[in-house]
Amino acid sequence: MSSPDSQTPAVNESNANDKPALKEREAKKRKLSGDESEMLASSSSNMSAFKEFKLIKVLREDDRHKLINLHGSLPLKKSDDDSGSGPVDSNSEESDAVVVLERKPFDPTSIEECIRQTKTKETLHNDIYSTFEIFSTPNKADMRATLIFPATEKHISKYSEHQPFIVNETPDLYRDVTLPCIEASKFSIQWVYNILDKTKEADRIVTEDSDPETGFVLIPDLKWDRQKMESLYLVAIVHKRGLRSLRDLTAEHLPLLKNVLQKGQAAIKEQFGVGSDKLRIYFHYQPSYYHLHIHFSHIRFDAPGTDVMRAHLLSDVIDNLSINPDFYKKKTLSYVVRDSDQLYEAYEDNGYFQ
Amino acid sequence: MSSPDSQTPAVNESNANDKPALKEREAKKRKLSGDESEMLASSSSNMSAFKEFKLIKVLREDDRHKLINLHGSLPLKKSDDDSGSGPVDSNSEESDAVVVLERKPFDPTSIEECIRQTKTKETLHNDIYSTFEIFSTPNKADMRATLIFPATEKHISKYSEHQPFIVNETPDLYRDVTLPCIEASKFSIQWVYNILDKTKEADRIVTEDSDPETGFVLIPDLKWDRQKMESLYLVAIVHKRGLRSLRDLTAEHLPLLKNVLQKGQAAIKEQFGVGSDKLRIYFHYQPSYYHLHIHFSHIRFDAPGTDVMRAHLLSDVIDNLSINPDFYKKKTLSYVVRDSDQLYEAYEDNGYFQ
């Protein structure tokens, strides 16, 4: 792991985590999906777009997912005929670039051929067990990359490793530090109201209960393509306004929570054939936006944000409020903030981290 | 994802999850680490150990971690001089093989050279964003494999995808189904007693409090190499016997739990320089063995078993028992079982899954 010793200026984002908010992801998705077919045409497969890449810094390594984020430079005038549309700095021949490089998953349809054509070096042999280092001879692409060029400081920061810190948020810390930070950030949730009012994305709604107190809208998360049931991911957004997160819930909201649990499970069973014994149903705390919403993801999907430091099962929340009506007004909640988060700054300013 | 429609016979394991029990992992590690240097000698890097591999079935795909488990066959008499020590079936020229193939993480020291030598195919270009399919020309190994050959049905099952199911375990279900299953499995925890009694692994102990009621032994988990602090992983095993899991805890155990929390954090800070704001401290439920133990892992380590469906923060457990002394005698606990688990069979026999 590269150590994020010298951090670039923090990105001004109000969500207390590294997952972009739904709105941002949506905007990004729309931007990237515009007329892909046309863009696919002008490609060259015999040369590297990176042959003049100079590495400046490894921003982040993710060994488990075989991914690496790089900060480097590339010449502004590319050697092929590709006319970049980004801003050009006339005083320099090179500009900053961010490259996200990821190895590809194996393709089961070509795996037999792939493994037969490798070169292998046995590293261990003990009884029936052997291990090998393998050199592939790829005739299919074995990696994929995203290039951001020219890149700004903000891009570089976004793809950098940010130092994580655990906050043990007592009710007093919530009142004195977290809540003022949420209110100060004035993070717009108009896009949520657009969904609830059906002025946007009405065609994506899977089910709705329009009751203003106990109702909700269930829509697919943008991470889910609606094809693979093993990566099923939906979000229930409650109609009731003014509930920021788990922290605002008391026993008076039990009818709302039970309604979301029951009707959400039923709709997913009916429309996608996925039963409740396959559904992980949970809140995020901190959430990425402060209008109450509940995540439904397939247990075979290793979705981001399912770690015990962030996810809270809806069934546990219902149990806890049934046992103790003010549970989330009394409970210390632990979560991770990163040094690029506004919430980190708020706690840092408060002297929370020694 | 390959669908595990036709399951091979279940492996007779008592742990209700896909992580091997500590003892098994230890045994495996010891077996594999025996005189590696000697074994490294007789290797050939110009041919593939898999050139005659025939694919029978893809057992499991893990796209997120770029890993695939294969069931295939290989000739029993290998073409090089490697004399296999496994059992030979004289009626057949081939035998079953299990291959675990995994792409390697990127090596930051050679990443610049690696990326410059690739061939790229642009798949999208929009403003400053581009994406590429990449063909690498590896001059370092880009994959690694584990081969089990000849493999038995048990090996094949172990590396297959097993269907997961959520159990919502009420206190009644615990008493009627889970507890009898745990007791019937007679899973030996003698190896735990060996650690506590210091007849084994005494040299690995990081800290100990020998009090029979509130004491514990803190040792590194075998997944941690004690080198990289970002993958720090230790386990506290309590001295008190007869506590199987979270389910057995009441307010009377608060002194034990608080002692583990405080002294565990202090020892890790002192010996490894990792502060409590970097430590995820939690129980597993279900655990992989039924003697009470607590996991300490670095929050930058994406350790297995940190999902909200399995991990329970020690600080939450302390809070819950402080608020309600019998919390875990009343609480419904949700977790995942797989169709290879004894616990799955126990619930299936009970008619829990429709």
Side-chain angles (χ1 to χ4, degrees), chain A residues 31 40 44 55 64 66 102-104 112 120 133 136 142 302 331, chain B residues 31 44 55 64 66 102-104 112 120 123 126 133 136 142 302 316:
Chain A
K31 177 159 40 172
L40 282 167
S44 148
L55 180 67
R64 205 155 170 234
K66 284 74 179 182
E102 184 175 10
R103 295 206 199 267
K104 291 185 79 167
E112 188 180 51
T120 59
E133 295 279 289
S136 66
D142 58 335
D302 185 14
K331 184 76 182 68
Chain B
K31 175 159 41 170
S44 148
L55 180 66
R64 205 155 168 233
K66 285 75 177 182
E102 184 175 12
R103 297 208 196 265
K104 291 185 80 167
E112 187 179 50
T120 58
T123 46
N126 186 348
E133 296 278 289
S136 67
D142 58 333
D302 184 17
D316 284 347

PDB file of all heavy atoms in Angstrom, chain A residues 31 40 44 55 64 66 102-104 112 120 133 136 142 302 331, chain B residues 31 44 55 64 66 102-104 112 120 123 126 133 136 142 302 316:
ATOM      1  N   LYS A  31     -22.879  11.249 -18.576  1.00  0.00           N
ATOM      2  CA  LYS A  31     -21.850  11.851 -19.407  1.00  0.00           C
ATOM      3  C   LYS A  31     -21.142  10.770 -20.231  1.00  0.00           C
ATOM      4  O   LYS A  31     -20.955  10.904 -21.429  1.00  0.00           O
ATOM      5  CB  LYS A  31     -20.843  12.601 -18.528  1.00  0.00           C
ATOM      6  CG  LYS A  31     -19.712  13.181 -19.333  1.00  0.00           C
ATOM      7  CD  LYS A  31     -18.969  14.316 -18.669  1.00  0.00           C
ATOM      8  CE  LYS A  31     -18.694  14.198 -17.201  1.00  0.00           C
ATOM      9  NZ  LYS A  31     -17.803  15.280 -16.733  1.00  0.00           N
ATOM     10  N   LEU A  40     -16.558   4.515 -30.358  1.00  0.00           N
ATOM     11  CA  LEU A  40     -15.821   3.256 -30.443  1.00  0.00           C
ATOM     12  C   LEU A  40     -15.054   3.118 -31.753  1.00  0.00           C
ATOM     13  O   LEU A  40     -14.120   2.333 -31.845  1.00  0.00           O
ATOM     14  CB  LEU A  40     -16.790   2.077 -30.286  1.00  0.00           C
ATOM     15  CG  LEU A  40     -17.234   1.791 -28.854  1.00  0.00           C
ATOM     16  CD1 LEU A  40     -18.421   0.830 -28.834  1.00  0.00           C
ATOM     17  CD2 LEU A  40     -16.077   1.204 -28.061  1.00  0.00           C
ATOM     18  N   SER A  44      -7.127   2.380 -32.238  1.00  0.00           N
ATOM     19  CA  SER A  44      -5.976   1.715 -32.832  1.00  0.00           C
ATOM     20  C   SER A  44      -5.497   0.665 -31.854  1.00  0.00           C
ATOM     21  O   SER A  44      -5.255   0.947 -30.698  1.00  0.00           O
ATOM     22  CB  SER A  44      -4.881   2.751 -33.071  1.00  0.00           C
ATOM     23  OG  SER A  44      -3.622   2.165 -32.929  1.00  0.00           O
ATOM     24  N   LEU A  55       5.586   8.180 -14.983  1.00  0.00           N
ATOM     25  CA  LEU A  55       4.966   8.022 -13.666  1.00  0.00           C
ATOM     26  C   LEU A  55       5.454   9.109 -12.712  1.00  0.00           C
ATOM     27  O   LEU A  55       6.654   9.341 -12.585  1.00  0.00           O
ATOM     28  CB  LEU A  55       5.310   6.640 -13.099  1.00  0.00           C
ATOM     29  CG  LEU A  55       4.719   6.329 -11.723  1.00  0.00           C
ATOM     30  CD1 LEU A  55       3.197   6.217 -11.792  1.00  0.00           C
ATOM     31  CD2 LEU A  55       5.312   5.024 -11.167  1.00  0.00           C
ATOM     32  N   ARG A  64      -6.238  -6.373  -3.471  1.00  0.00           N
ATOM     33  CA  ARG A  64      -7.274  -7.401  -3.443  1.00  0.00           C
ATOM     34  C   ARG A  64      -8.106  -7.379  -4.727  1.00  0.00           C
ATOM     35  O   ARG A  64      -8.525  -8.418  -5.209  1.00  0.00           O
ATOM     36  CB  ARG A  64      -8.153  -7.185  -2.207  1.00  0.00           C
ATOM     37  CG  ARG A  64      -8.806  -8.442  -1.764  1.00  0.00           C
ATOM     38  CD  ARG A  64      -9.180  -8.500  -0.307  1.00  0.00           C
ATOM     39  NE  ARG A  64     -10.008  -9.662  -0.105  1.00  0.00           N
ATOM     40  CZ  ARG A  64     -11.204  -9.641   0.448  1.00  0.00           C
ATOM     41  NH1 ARG A  64     -11.684  -8.517   0.931  1.00  0.00           N
ATOM     42  NH2 ARG A  64     -11.918 -10.737   0.561  1.00  0.00           N
ATOM     43  N   LYS A  66      -6.929  -5.988  -7.555  1.00  0.00           N
ATOM     44  CA  LYS A  66      -6.001  -5.895  -8.694  1.00  0.00           C
ATOM     45  C   LYS A  66      -6.217  -4.604  -9.477  1.00  0.00           C
ATOM     46  O   LYS A  66      -6.538  -4.607 -10.674  1.00  0.00           O
ATOM     47  CB  LYS A  66      -6.153  -7.112  -9.621  1.00  0.00           C
ATOM     48  CG  LYS A  66      -5.521  -8.367  -9.072  1.00  0.00           C
ATOM     49  CD  LYS A  66      -6.322  -8.967  -7.954  1.00  0.00           C
ATOM     50  CE  LYS A  66      -5.719 -10.231  -7.412  1.00  0.00           C
ATOM     51  NZ  LYS A  66      -6.519 -10.833  -6.351  1.00  0.00           N
ATOM     52  N   GLU A 102      -6.839  -1.560 -14.207  1.00  0.00           N
ATOM     53  CA  GLU A 102      -7.445  -2.692 -13.499  1.00  0.00           C
ATOM     54  C   GLU A 102      -7.321  -3.955 -14.329  1.00  0.00           C
ATOM     55  O   GLU A 102      -7.576  -3.941 -15.535  1.00  0.00           O
ATOM     56  CB  GLU A 102      -8.940  -2.383 -13.250  1.00  0.00           C
ATOM     57  CG  GLU A 102      -9.637  -3.448 -12.428  1.00  0.00           C
ATOM     58  CD  GLU A 102     -11.084  -3.095 -12.074  1.00  0.00           C
ATOM     59  OE1 GLU A 102     -11.615  -2.106 -12.615  1.00  0.00           O
ATOM     60  OE2 GLU A 102     -11.661  -3.815 -11.251  1.00  0.00           O
ATOM     61  N   ARG A 103      -6.931  -5.053 -13.686  1.00  0.00           N
ATOM     62  CA  ARG A 103      -6.906  -6.316 -14.414  1.00  0.00           C
ATOM     63  C   ARG A 103      -8.353  -6.764 -14.626  1.00  0.00           C
ATOM     64  O   ARG A 103      -9.229  -6.474 -13.824  1.00  0.00           O
ATOM     65  CB  ARG A 103      -6.130  -7.370 -13.637  1.00  0.00           C
ATOM     66  CG  ARG A 103      -4.646  -7.010 -13.484  1.00  0.00           C
ATOM     67  CD  ARG A 103      -3.803  -8.266 -13.322  1.00  0.00           C
ATOM     68  NE  ARG A 103      -2.501  -7.984 -12.756  1.00  0.00           N
ATOM     69  CZ  ARG A 103      -1.395  -7.757 -13.482  1.00  0.00           C
ATOM     70  NH1 ARG A 103      -1.445  -7.769 -14.796  1.00  0.00           N
ATOM     71  NH2 ARG A 103      -0.231  -7.529 -12.881  1.00  0.00           N
ATOM     72  N   LYS A 104      -8.597  -7.471 -15.718  1.00  0.00           N
ATOM     73  CA  LYS A 104      -9.955  -7.888 -16.040  1.00  0.00           C
ATOM     74  C   LYS A 104     -10.297  -9.210 -15.364  1.00  0.00           C
ATOM     75  O   LYS A 104      -9.418 -10.037 -15.116  1.00  0.00           O
ATOM     76  CB  LYS A 104     -10.117  -8.039 -17.555  1.00  0.00           C
ATOM     77  CG  LYS A 104     -10.055  -6.719 -18.294  1.00  0.00           C
ATOM     78  CD  LYS A 104     -10.331  -6.880 -19.768  1.00  0.00           C
ATOM     79  CE  LYS A 104     -11.808  -7.021 -20.037  1.00  0.00           C
ATOM     80  NZ  LYS A 104     -12.100  -6.863 -21.488  1.00  0.00           N
ATOM     81  N   GLU A 112     -10.181 -22.121 -20.944  1.00  0.00           N
ATOM     82  CA  GLU A 112      -9.413 -23.339 -21.234  1.00  0.00           C
ATOM     83  C   GLU A 112      -8.240 -23.024 -22.162  1.00  0.00           C
ATOM     84  O   GLU A 112      -7.090 -23.373 -21.884  1.00  0.00           O
ATOM     85  CB  GLU A 112     -10.311 -24.406 -21.859  1.00  0.00           C
ATOM     86  CG  GLU A 112      -9.603 -25.753 -22.010  1.00  0.00           C
ATOM     87  CD  GLU A 112     -10.506 -26.809 -22.637  1.00  0.00           C
ATOM     88  OE1 GLU A 112     -11.115 -26.530 -23.707  1.00  0.00           O
ATOM     89  OE2 GLU A 112     -10.636 -27.899 -22.070  1.00  0.00           O
ATOM     90  N   THR A 120       4.433 -21.424 -17.338  1.00  0.00           N
ATOM     91  CA  THR A 120       4.308 -21.554 -15.889  1.00  0.00           C
ATOM     92  C   THR A 120       5.656 -21.816 -15.241  1.00  0.00           C
ATOM     93  O   THR A 120       6.565 -22.392 -15.854  1.00  0.00           O
ATOM     94  CB  THR A 120       3.370 -22.724 -15.525  1.00  0.00           C
ATOM     95  OG1 THR A 120       3.898 -23.922 -16.090  1.00  0.00           O
ATOM     96  CG2 THR A 120       1.962 -22.487 -16.020  1.00  0.00           C
ATOM     97  N   GLU A 133       3.767 -19.515 -10.655  1.00  0.00           N
ATOM     98  CA  GLU A 133       3.731 -18.164 -11.199  1.00  0.00           C
ATOM     99  C   GLU A 133       3.428 -18.342 -12.679  1.00  0.00           C
ATOM    100  O   GLU A 133       4.011 -19.230 -13.325  1.00  0.00           O
ATOM    101  CB  GLU A 133       5.089 -17.469 -11.046  1.00  0.00           C
ATOM    102  CG  GLU A 133       5.509 -17.228  -9.612  1.00  0.00           C
ATOM    103  CD  GLU A 133       4.855 -15.992  -9.035  1.00  0.00           C
ATOM    104  OE1 GLU A 133       5.218 -14.882  -9.451  1.00  0.00           O
ATOM    105  OE2 GLU A 133       3.966 -16.150  -8.182  1.00  0.00           O
ATOM    106  N   SER A 136       1.040 -15.021 -18.861  1.00  0.00           N
ATOM    107  CA  SER A 136      -0.010 -15.236 -19.848  1.00  0.00           C
ATOM    108  C   SER A 136       0.469 -14.766 -21.213  1.00  0.00           C
ATOM    109  O   SER A 136       1.410 -13.987 -21.331  1.00  0.00           O
ATOM    110  CB  SER A 136      -1.281 -14.500 -19.456  1.00  0.00           C
ATOM    111  OG  SER A 136      -1.076 -13.112 -19.488  1.00  0.00           O
ATOM    112  N   ASP A 142      -6.478  -8.150 -21.292  1.00  0.00           N
ATOM    113  CA  ASP A 142      -6.422  -8.666 -19.931  1.00  0.00           C
ATOM    114  C   ASP A 142      -6.467  -7.543 -18.885  1.00  0.00           C
ATOM    115  O   ASP A 142      -6.429  -7.808 -17.696  1.00  0.00           O
ATOM    116  CB  ASP A 142      -5.173  -9.545 -19.738  1.00  0.00           C
ATOM    117  CG  ASP A 142      -3.893  -8.801 -20.030  1.00  0.00           C
ATOM    118  OD1 ASP A 142      -3.937  -7.824 -20.797  1.00  0.00           O
ATOM    119  OD2 ASP A 142      -2.851  -9.179 -19.483  1.00  0.00           O
ATOM    120  N   ASP A 302     -20.828  -8.439  -3.556  1.00  0.00           N
ATOM    121  CA  ASP A 302     -19.902  -7.842  -2.599  1.00  0.00           C
ATOM    122  C   ASP A 302     -19.983  -6.313  -2.789  1.00  0.00           C
ATOM    123  O   ASP A 302     -19.034  -5.671  -3.206  1.00  0.00           O
ATOM    124  CB  ASP A 302     -18.497  -8.386  -2.908  1.00  0.00           C
ATOM    125  CG  ASP A 302     -17.447  -7.948  -1.913  1.00  0.00           C
ATOM    126  OD1 ASP A 302     -17.813  -7.445  -0.839  1.00  0.00           O
ATOM    127  OD2 ASP A 302     -16.253  -8.089  -2.227  1.00  0.00           O
ATOM    128  N   LYS A 331     -27.306   5.851  21.414  1.00  0.00           N
ATOM    129  CA  LYS A 331     -26.254   4.931  20.987  1.00  0.00           C
ATOM    130  C   LYS A 331     -25.029   5.661  20.443  1.00  0.00           C
ATOM    131  O   LYS A 331     -25.146   6.631  19.710  1.00  0.00           O
ATOM    132  CB  LYS A 331     -26.850   4.056  19.872  1.00  0.00           C
ATOM    133  CG  LYS A 331     -25.945   2.960  19.347  1.00  0.00           C
ATOM    134  CD  LYS A 331     -25.855   1.792  20.302  1.00  0.00           C
ATOM    135  CE  LYS A 331     -24.905   0.727  19.778  1.00  0.00           C
ATOM    136  NZ  LYS A 331     -23.506   1.158  19.760  1.00  0.00           N
TER     137      LYS A 331
ATOM    138  N   LYS B  31       1.958 -27.048   6.288  1.00  0.00           N
ATOM    139  CA  LYS B  31       2.275 -28.014   5.250  1.00  0.00           C
ATOM    140  C   LYS B  31       2.966 -27.323   4.065  1.00  0.00           C
ATOM    141  O   LYS B  31       3.975 -27.765   3.571  1.00  0.00           O
ATOM    142  CB  LYS B  31       0.986 -28.704   4.780  1.00  0.00           C
ATOM    143  CG  LYS B  31       1.213 -29.628   3.617  1.00  0.00           C
ATOM    144  CD  LYS B  31       0.145 -30.701   3.413  1.00  0.00           C
ATOM    145  CE  LYS B  31      -1.270 -30.283   3.611  1.00  0.00           C
ATOM    146  NZ  LYS B  31      -2.214 -31.307   3.166  1.00  0.00           N
ATOM    147  N   SER B  44      10.518 -25.155 -14.454  1.00  0.00           N
ATOM    148  CA  SER B  44      10.753 -24.859 -15.861  1.00  0.00           C
ATOM    149  C   SER B  44       9.839 -23.705 -16.258  1.00  0.00           C
ATOM    150  O   SER B  44       8.656 -23.752 -16.024  1.00  0.00           O
ATOM    151  CB  SER B  44      10.434 -26.111 -16.679  1.00  0.00           C
ATOM    152  OG  SER B  44       9.945 -25.746 -17.936  1.00  0.00           O
ATOM    153  N   LEU B  55     -10.957 -28.564 -19.526  1.00  0.00           N
ATOM    154  CA  LEU B  55     -11.928 -27.966 -18.602  1.00  0.00           C
ATOM    155  C   LEU B  55     -13.164 -28.845 -18.498  1.00  0.00           C
ATOM    156  O   LEU B  55     -13.738 -29.246 -19.512  1.00  0.00           O
ATOM    157  CB  LEU B  55     -12.324 -26.572 -19.110  1.00  0.00           C
ATOM    158  CG  LEU B  55     -13.344 -25.814 -18.257  1.00  0.00           C
ATOM    159  CD1 LEU B  55     -12.750 -25.467 -16.891  1.00  0.00           C
ATOM    160  CD2 LEU B  55     -13.804 -24.541 -18.966  1.00  0.00           C
ATOM    161  N   ARG B  64     -14.840  -9.688  -8.920  1.00  0.00           N
ATOM    162  CA  ARG B  64     -14.330  -8.514  -8.217  1.00  0.00           C
ATOM    163  C   ARG B  64     -12.868  -8.712  -7.826  1.00  0.00           C
ATOM    164  O   ARG B  64     -12.088  -7.769  -7.827  1.00  0.00           O
ATOM    165  CB  ARG B  64     -15.200  -8.257  -6.972  1.00  0.00           C
ATOM    166  CG  ARG B  64     -15.150  -6.822  -6.578  1.00  0.00           C
ATOM    167  CD  ARG B  64     -16.347  -6.324  -5.808  1.00  0.00           C
ATOM    168  NE  ARG B  64     -15.997  -5.016  -5.270  1.00  0.00           N
ATOM    169  CZ  ARG B  64     -16.096  -4.663  -4.017  1.00  0.00           C
ATOM    170  NH1 ARG B  64     -16.596  -5.507  -3.117  1.00  0.00           N
ATOM    171  NH2 ARG B  64     -15.717  -3.480  -3.613  1.00  0.00           N
ATOM    172  N   LYS B  66     -10.908 -10.993  -9.393  1.00  0.00           N
ATOM    173  CA  LYS B  66     -10.205 -11.525 -10.574  1.00  0.00           C
ATOM    174  C   LYS B  66      -9.634 -12.910 -10.289  1.00  0.00           C
ATOM    175  O   LYS B  66      -8.423 -13.157 -10.372  1.00  0.00           O
ATOM    176  CB  LYS B  66      -9.091 -10.574 -11.031  1.00  0.00           C
ATOM    177  CG  LYS B  66      -9.611  -9.347 -11.741  1.00  0.00           C
ATOM    178  CD  LYS B  66     -10.229  -8.346 -10.824  1.00  0.00           C
ATOM    179  CE  LYS B  66     -10.679  -7.097 -11.530  1.00  0.00           C
ATOM    180  NZ  LYS B  66     -11.245  -6.110 -10.598  1.00  0.00           N
ATOM    181  N   GLU B 102      -5.607 -16.865 -10.334  1.00  0.00           N
ATOM    182  CA  GLU B 102      -5.860 -15.511  -9.838  1.00  0.00           C
ATOM    183  C   GLU B 102      -4.920 -14.531 -10.531  1.00  0.00           C
ATOM    184  O   GLU B 102      -3.721 -14.799 -10.656  1.00  0.00           O
ATOM    185  CB  GLU B 102      -5.617 -15.473  -8.320  1.00  0.00           C
ATOM    186  CG  GLU B 102      -5.942 -14.130  -7.698  1.00  0.00           C
ATOM    187  CD  GLU B 102      -5.828 -14.132  -6.177  1.00  0.00           C
ATOM    188  OE1 GLU B 102      -5.283 -15.099  -5.611  1.00  0.00           O
ATOM    189  OE2 GLU B 102      -6.281 -13.154  -5.573  1.00  0.00           O
ATOM    190  N   ARG B 103      -5.427 -13.412 -10.980  1.00  0.00           N
ATOM    191  CA  ARG B 103      -4.540 -12.397 -11.523  1.00  0.00           C
ATOM    192  C   ARG B 103      -3.762 -11.773 -10.372  1.00  0.00           C
ATOM    193  O   ARG B 103      -4.248 -11.693  -9.243  1.00  0.00           O
ATOM    194  CB  ARG B 103      -5.340 -11.332 -12.274  1.00  0.00           C
ATOM    195  CG  ARG B 103      -6.092 -11.885 -13.479  1.00  0.00           C
ATOM    196  CD  ARG B 103      -6.282 -10.816 -14.542  1.00  0.00           C
ATOM    197  NE  ARG B 103      -7.289 -11.184 -15.521  1.00  0.00           N
ATOM    198  CZ  ARG B 103      -7.053 -11.763 -16.695  1.00  0.00           C
ATOM    199  NH1 ARG B 103      -5.824 -12.078 -17.046  1.00  0.00           N
ATOM    200  NH2 ARG B 103      -8.033 -12.047 -17.533  1.00  0.00           N
ATOM    201  N   LYS B 104      -2.542 -11.336 -10.672  1.00  0.00           N
ATOM    202  CA  LYS B 104      -1.698 -10.778  -9.618  1.00  0.00           C
ATOM    203  C   LYS B 104      -1.961  -9.283  -9.430  1.00  0.00           C
ATOM    204  O   LYS B 104      -2.354  -8.596 -10.368  1.00  0.00           O
ATOM    205  CB  LYS B 104      -0.213 -10.983  -9.958  1.00  0.00           C
ATOM    206  CG  LYS B 104       0.205 -12.435  -9.887  1.00  0.00           C
ATOM    207  CD  LYS B 104       1.692 -12.593 -10.115  1.00  0.00           C
ATOM    208  CE  LYS B 104       2.485 -12.285  -8.863  1.00  0.00           C
ATOM    209  NZ  LYS B 104       3.892 -12.735  -8.998  1.00  0.00           N
ATOM    210  N   GLU B 112       5.472   1.551 -14.499  1.00  0.00           N
ATOM    211  CA  GLU B 112       5.685   2.493 -15.600  1.00  0.00           C
ATOM    212  C   GLU B 112       6.087   1.744 -16.875  1.00  0.00           C
ATOM    213  O   GLU B 112       5.495   1.927 -17.942  1.00  0.00           O
ATOM    214  CB  GLU B 112       6.757   3.520 -15.232  1.00  0.00           C
ATOM    215  CG  GLU B 112       6.892   4.627 -16.264  1.00  0.00           C
ATOM    216  CD  GLU B 112       7.951   5.657 -15.865  1.00  0.00           C
ATOM    217  OE1 GLU B 112       9.084   5.248 -15.515  1.00  0.00           O
ATOM    218  OE2 GLU B 112       7.647   6.854 -15.894  1.00  0.00           O
ATOM    219  N   THR B 120      -3.059  -0.826 -26.687  1.00  0.00           N
ATOM    220  CA  THR B 120      -4.328  -0.316 -26.176  1.00  0.00           C
ATOM    221  C   THR B 120      -5.343  -0.146 -27.298  1.00  0.00           C
ATOM    222  O   THR B 120      -4.982   0.076 -28.452  1.00  0.00           O
ATOM    223  CB  THR B 120      -4.139   1.053 -25.492  1.00  0.00           C
ATOM    224  OG1 THR B 120      -3.579   1.958 -26.449  1.00  0.00           O
ATOM    225  CG2 THR B 120      -3.218   0.959 -24.306  1.00  0.00           C
ATOM    226  N   THR B 123     -11.898   2.585 -26.172  1.00  0.00           N
ATOM    227  CA  THR B 123     -13.296   2.151 -26.265  1.00  0.00           C
ATOM    228  C   THR B 123     -14.261   3.305 -26.077  1.00  0.00           C
ATOM    229  O   THR B 123     -15.457   3.167 -26.352  1.00  0.00           O
ATOM    230  CB  THR B 123     -13.604   1.051 -25.223  1.00  0.00           C
ATOM    231  OG1 THR B 123     -13.065   1.447 -23.958  1.00  0.00           O
ATOM    232  CG2 THR B 123     -12.978  -0.256 -25.629  1.00  0.00           C
ATOM    233  N   ASN B 126     -14.562  10.965 -24.273  1.00  0.00           N
ATOM    234  CA  ASN B 126     -15.517  12.050 -24.059  1.00  0.00           C
ATOM    235  C   ASN B 126     -14.820  13.114 -23.230  1.00  0.00           C
ATOM    236  O   ASN B 126     -14.545  12.906 -22.052  1.00  0.00           O
ATOM    237  CB  ASN B 126     -16.754  11.485 -23.334  1.00  0.00           C
ATOM    238  CG  ASN B 126     -17.851  12.525 -23.199  1.00  0.00           C
ATOM    239  OD1 ASN B 126     -17.631  13.718 -23.443  1.00  0.00           O
ATOM    240  ND2 ASN B 126     -19.037  12.074 -22.816  1.00  0.00           N
ATOM    241  N   GLU B 133      -9.338  -0.823 -23.609  1.00  0.00           N
ATOM    242  CA  GLU B 133      -9.063  -2.233 -23.392  1.00  0.00           C
ATOM    243  C   GLU B 133      -7.561  -2.398 -23.603  1.00  0.00           C
ATOM    244  O   GLU B 133      -7.005  -1.824 -24.559  1.00  0.00           O
ATOM    245  CB  GLU B 133      -9.804  -3.098 -24.415  1.00  0.00           C
ATOM    246  CG  GLU B 133     -11.302  -3.039 -24.319  1.00  0.00           C
ATOM    247  CD  GLU B 133     -11.830  -3.958 -23.236  1.00  0.00           C
ATOM    248  OE1 GLU B 133     -11.775  -5.175 -23.422  1.00  0.00           O
ATOM    249  OE2 GLU B 133     -12.281  -3.451 -22.187  1.00  0.00           O
ATOM    250  N   SER B 136      -1.637  -6.694 -22.376  1.00  0.00           N
ATOM    251  CA  SER B 136      -0.328  -6.548 -21.755  1.00  0.00           C
ATOM    252  C   SER B 136       0.686  -7.425 -22.471  1.00  0.00           C
ATOM    253  O   SER B 136       0.331  -8.367 -23.183  1.00  0.00           O
ATOM    254  CB  SER B 136      -0.396  -6.912 -20.275  1.00  0.00           C
ATOM    255  OG  SER B 136      -0.655  -8.279 -20.124  1.00  0.00           O
ATOM    256  N   ASP B 142       1.966 -12.497 -14.465  1.00  0.00           N
ATOM    257  CA  ASP B 142       0.790 -11.667 -14.232  1.00  0.00           C
ATOM    258  C   ASP B 142      -0.351 -12.444 -13.594  1.00  0.00           C
ATOM    259  O   ASP B 142      -1.408 -11.907 -13.331  1.00  0.00           O
ATOM    260  CB  ASP B 142       0.344 -10.998 -15.537  1.00  0.00           C
ATOM    261  CG  ASP B 142       0.027 -12.010 -16.628  1.00  0.00           C
ATOM    262  OD1 ASP B 142       0.605 -13.122 -16.579  1.00  0.00           O
ATOM    263  OD2 ASP B 142      -0.793 -11.713 -17.498  1.00  0.00           O
ATOM    264  N   ASP B 302      -9.264  -5.042   3.911  1.00  0.00           N
ATOM    265  CA  ASP B 302     -10.572  -5.530   3.496  1.00  0.00           C
ATOM    266  C   ASP B 302     -10.659  -7.009   3.880  1.00  0.00           C
ATOM    267  O   ASP B 302     -10.714  -7.890   3.039  1.00  0.00           O
ATOM    268  CB  ASP B 302     -10.685  -5.311   1.974  1.00  0.00           C
ATOM    269  CG  ASP B 302     -12.042  -5.683   1.412  1.00  0.00           C
ATOM    270  OD1 ASP B 302     -12.993  -5.809   2.199  1.00  0.00           O
ATOM    271  OD2 ASP B 302     -12.138  -5.842   0.180  1.00  0.00           O
ATOM    272  N   ASP B 316     -20.289  -2.092  20.031  1.00  0.00           N
ATOM    273  CA  ASP B 316     -21.751  -2.207  19.973  1.00  0.00           C
ATOM    274  C   ASP B 316     -22.250  -3.260  20.960  1.00  0.00           C
ATOM    275  O   ASP B 316     -23.276  -3.067  21.612  1.00  0.00           O
ATOM    276  CB  ASP B 316     -22.212  -2.578  18.555  1.00  0.00           C
ATOM    277  CG  ASP B 316     -22.161  -1.401  17.585  1.00  0.00           C
ATOM    278  OD1 ASP B 316     -22.019  -0.246  18.046  1.00  0.00           O
ATOM    279  OD2 ASP B 316     -22.263  -1.633  16.367  1.00  0.00           O
TER     280      ASP B 316
END
